[in-house]
Amino acid sequence: MSVVKSSLSETDLKTVGNALQGALVDLVDLGLVAKQVHWNVVGPRFRSVHLQLDEVVVTARQHSDVVAERASAMGVNPDGRAASVASGSAIGEVPSGWIKDTDAVKILVDALGAVIARMRERIEATDEPDPITQDILIGLTADLEKHAWMFQAESA
């Protein structure tokens, strides 16, 4: 049952709903991964990496809210439950324990790369059915790519 009726066809709504749900899962997990690494990073570049990780968390949380609210506005129930995030995320598992600053950077480069690749697929998928959703995905991908650039520069 949906209390919100979308102006999209059922087929288009399914495409858009899948894109938004996938984006939500990846963003929630990215925020969790960045925070986990943030709490456990150690090494000579601790402070700069620690602060940079918090910037990723803020970006992921802000965009996850926008994505979830767009889904709701379209009549699609957003699902950010832990089980849904764990089963649907593209991000690999973060090791337990202390994480060397160089390893922290690699973890984030890999996580951001995985999420960005999937966001670009969603951008393509939403081009025809819903340019508004596509615009949201483009904006959040630009922010993620900026973070990816900064973490890649850390590892140069």
Side-chain angles (χ1 to χ4, degrees), residues 76-117:
V76 175
N77 295 102
D79 185 357
R81 296 174 299 161
S84 299
V85 172
S87 68
S89 176
I91 301 172
E93 193 171 322
V94 175
S96 63
W98 301 116
I99 301 171
K100 289 176 38 176
D101 52 6
T102 53
D103 294 336
V105 168
K106 181 173 180 358
I107 289 167
L108 262 292
V109 166
D110 292 347
L112 286 162
V115 172
I116 289 165

Side-chain angles (χ1 to χ4, degrees), residues 13 31-32 41 53-54 59 66 73 76 80 101 108 118-119 134 143:
L13 185 59
L32 293 170
V41 66
L53 288 161
D54 261 347
T59 296
V66 170
V76 175
D101 52 6
L108 262 292
R118 287 178 29 146
M119 290 301 177
Q134 184 191 44
D143 287 348

Side-chain angles (χ1 to χ4, degrees), residues 114-132:
V115 172
I116 289 165
R118 287 178 29 146
M119 290 301 177
R120 287 188 162 275
E121 291 171 4
R122 294 176 185 121
I123 289 167
E124 286 185 35
T126 56
D127 177 34
E128 283 295 318
D130 189 23
I132 297 165

Side-chain angles (χ1 to χ4, degrees), residues 37-59:
V37 175
H38 166 90
W39 292 324
N40 290 286
V41 66
V42 294
R45 294 182 307 172
F46 161 80
R47 183 161 172 74
S48 65
V49 173
H50 183 79
L51 295 173
Q52 197 173 355
L53 288 161
D54 261 347
E55 292 172 7
V56 173
V57 172
V58 168
T59 296

Side-chain angles (χ1 to χ4, degrees), residues 5 7 14 18 22 31 33 41 72-73 75 92 95 101 114-115 119 134:
K5 302 295 180 211
S7 60
K14 182 175 180 171
N18 287 340
V33 164
V41 66
S72 292
D101 52 6
V115 172
M119 290 301 177
Q134 184 191 44

